[in-house]
Amino acid sequence: MRALVMSALLFLAACASVPPPAPAADGLDAVARDYVALILELGEREEGYVDAYYGPPEWLAAAKANPRTVPQLIQGAAALTARLNAVPDRGLDAMSLQRKKYLLAHVSAAAARLRMISGEKMSFADEAEALFGVRPETPPLSTYDPALVELDRLVPGTGPLGDRVAAFRARFVIPKDRLDVVMRAAIAECRARTARHIDLPANERFTLEFVNNKPWSGYNYYKGDANSLIQINTDLPIYIERAVDLGCHEGYPGHHVYNALLEQTFVKQRGWVEMSVYPLYSPMSLIAEGSANYGIDLAFPGHERTEYETRVLYPLAGLDPAMAEDGAHLLALTDRLKRAEYTIASDFLAGRIDRETALDQLQKYGLSDRARARQRLSFIETYRSYIINYGLGRDMVRAWVERQGPNPWDGMETLLASQTLPTDLLH
């Protein structure tokens, strides 16, 4: 009997010394499913965080019914990162390796956003890098003064330059009763130019609406199944050049095309569910906003934009086509001032300047009236470092696309249907 007992004890001791088998490593599909849940639940903790979702409706219903708390979501993001890092690179093809990298970057951005919701404070540049994967420069505002001097020579009259520019640009406002026809014509032209180079989904379509009381000038709400709602904010008068800007940016080859190609390429063809959700504060946004802004120049290269506006949009708006060249010249000069708002936003959000100073600076370097400066400051307060995605994103996308080969449309289509990250644009 004693021998049997001793044998049993020795067997149990031996078993105790052997570690339990490690759980099987996650596949990327399993991690991607839980990533979608994380983003949808985070969207229940911050309104507007989920910009688009076109996955299974029951997943969204589950997120709404029982979202985790913010501390639990922070733990969930850490667990997802550990699971992704545990997926061995060996055996993954190039697309799967990029998929793993893409998921890691987006989980990291979600974790940063959760920390911000919890009260963590970051500098403007730190926040931008944590959320969008790129660290912007914020040079002194004096850097932009030479462009102001050049503009001062161009714009007639006396008094503050911002007031003179506002008076000059008032001649380019689209009358409200012609806004619908002008916008629809511009979007149709943007679509036609895009469709010559990119195969659009057969059922792609959009609805156009005019709205009020928004901090932005235009927005694309992607609904899934190649369908978008494009909204244009009419709180302030809309200048004629904004028709092409918004038509390309919100529509073709901008947000509408980007989302439609992602859905077609990844969700429908490959079943990669992570692409069924678009978190606003993520590296995805630098690609989205940067490609949408670069898409304007791609669709209307050189003088083609001015020629089209002169021939079609100015007459539709009831404006004098002879003004088009002056408008284009002013637009080119003011573009050099776009990144001044990064410095202004950095100082304002950190409390280094007060609201009135920020408005003064936005008026001066944005060459706008007080109402437009207020709208822009409202956007900065709402979206914070998101503003880097437009100018910096455009320049990064342009450089990457034009390195891909002689036909930039080929590079653009590759980018729009890919899991390219902002850091990839730099290499």
Side-chain angles (χ1 to χ4, degrees):
M1 183 69 176
R2 171 177 285 182
L4 287 173
V5 171
M6 289 299 296
S7 295
L9 290 173
L10 287 170
F11 174 77
L12 290 172
C15 289
S17 67
V18 177
D26 275 331
L28 291 177
D29 286 341
V31 178
R33 167 64 183 86
D34 291 341
Y35 162 77
V36 174
L38 177 83
I39 298 303
L40 292 177
E41 291 176 50
L42 202 167
E44 295 303 303
R45 299 302 178 189
E46 181 180 26
E47 184 178 358
Y49 177 79
V50 175
D51 190 70
Y53 175 67
Y54 39 88
E58 59 269 23
W59 293 5
L60 180 58
K64 289 182 176 295
N66 191 30
R68 283 168 283 180
T69 64
V70 170
Q72 288 171 333
L73 288 170
I74 291 174
Q75 293 176 352
L80 279 180
T81 298
R83 289 168 62 190
L84 281 165
N85 284 324
V87 174
D89 290 347
R90 181 184 299 176
L92 295 181
D93 59 21
M95 290 187 63
S96 296
L97 284 169
Q98 182 67 17
R99 185 187 188 191
K100 176 182 172 181
K101 179 180 170 185
Y102 191 89
L103 282 164
L104 278 167
H106 282 74
V107 172
S108 176
R113 193 67 187 179
L114 284 162
R115 296 196 305 272
M116 289 176 64
I117 293 171
S118 298
E120 181 176 327
K121 304 296 183 185
M122 301 185 199
S123 71
F124 182 82
D126 287 346
E127 178 186 312
E129 187 172 26
L131 298 178
F132 309 114
V134 175
R135 191 173 188 85
E137 295 180 355
T138 55
L141 289 178
S142 58
T143 305
Y144 304 96
D145 287 343
L148 291 180
V149 172
E150 198 169 338
L151 278 161
D152 191 62
R153 297 193 194 104
L154 172 70
V155 182
T158 58
L161 179 59
D163 292 343
R164 286 153 51 204
V165 169
F168 182 81
R169 299 194 73 197
R171 300 181 297 155
F172 297 86
V173 170
I174 305 170
K176 280 201 170 184
D177 63 345
R178 302 199 182 198
L179 189 55
D180 184 78
V181 67
V182 170
M183 282 304 312
R184 291 186 187 278
I187 296 174
E189 183 68 15
C190 296
R191 184 189 185 282
R193 287 168 177 255
T194 300
R196 292 174 201 154
H197 303 279
I198 295 177
D199 291 329
L200 302 175
N203 64 329
E204 64 85 16
R205 69 253 186 234
F206 70 90
T207 302
L208 179 66
E209 288 183 354
F210 296 95
V211 297
N212 297 102
N213 302 316
K214 304 293 183 182
W216 37 257
S217 57
Y219 211 103
N220 178 298
Y221 292 97
Y222 189 71
K223 302 297 185 180
D225 194 30
N227 177 32
S228 287
L229 168 63
I230 296 175
Q231 291 188 337
I232 307 299
N233 183 11
T234 60
D235 284 346
L236 298 172
I238 297 176
Y239 300 123
I240 187 71
E241 79 272 2
R242 293 295 286 156
V244 164
D245 282 354
L246 292 166
C248 287
H249 185 100
E250 307 299 343
Y252 307 86
H255 294 325
H256 173 65
V257 174
Y258 179 54
N259 283 294
L261 291 184
L262 288 181
E263 180 183 25
Q264 176 178 270
T265 303
F266 291 102
V267 180
K268 291 186 176 181
Q269 294 178 0
R270 296 190 190 135
W272 289 10
V273 297
E274 68 269 23
M275 305 309 287
S276 67
V277 66
Y278 176 4
L280 192 66
Y281 299 100
S282 73
M284 194 175 182
S285 282
L286 186 133
I287 304 296
E289 302 294 0
S291 61
N293 267 3
Y294 172 61
I296 301 167
D297 296 333
L298 186 61
F300 293 86
H303 293 289
E304 290 187 26
R305 173 173 177 167
T306 304
E307 186 277 330
Y308 169 72
E309 290 173 341
T310 301
R311 178 173 51 84
V312 178
L313 296 187
Y314 274 75
L316 282 177
L319 301 178
D320 182 3
M323 302 190 305
E325 287 292 343
D326 287 343
H329 190 190
L330 178 66
L331 192 63
L333 286 173
T334 56
D335 187 65
R336 292 164 52 186
L337 296 166
K338 293 294 187 184
R339 293 202 204 177
E341 70 175 10
Y342 300 178
T343 301
I344 299 168
S346 177
D347 289 342
F348 173 70
L349 294 172
R352 291 188 291 270
I353 58 174
D354 61 19
R355 175 176 296 275
E356 289 305 308
T357 302
L359 288 170
D360 289 343
Q361 292 178 351
L362 286 170
Q363 269 194 268
K364 177 179 179 180
Y365 291 96
L367 297 173
S368 66
D369 57 27
R370 202 69 167 181
R372 290 186 189 276
R374 288 194 189 97
Q375 185 187 64
R376 195 59 186 166
L377 191 59
S378 174
F379 187 93
I380 289 168
E381 287 182 294
T382 303
Y383 296 103
R384 299 178 59 86
S385 63
Y386 191 93
I387 63 173
I388 73 158
N389 295 320
Y390 298 96
L392 180 56
R394 178 198 62 185
D395 294 344
M396 291 174 61
V397 166
R398 183 198 305 279
W400 185 89
V401 165
E402 295 179 0
R403 287 198 305 269
Q404 304 311 302
N407 183 356
W409 279 103
D410 291 342
M412 184 70 155
E413 186 169 15
T414 296
L415 178 67
L416 295 180
S418 74
Q419 289 186 321
T420 301
L421 289 163
T423 51
D424 298 324
L425 300 181
L426 299 173
H427 302 306

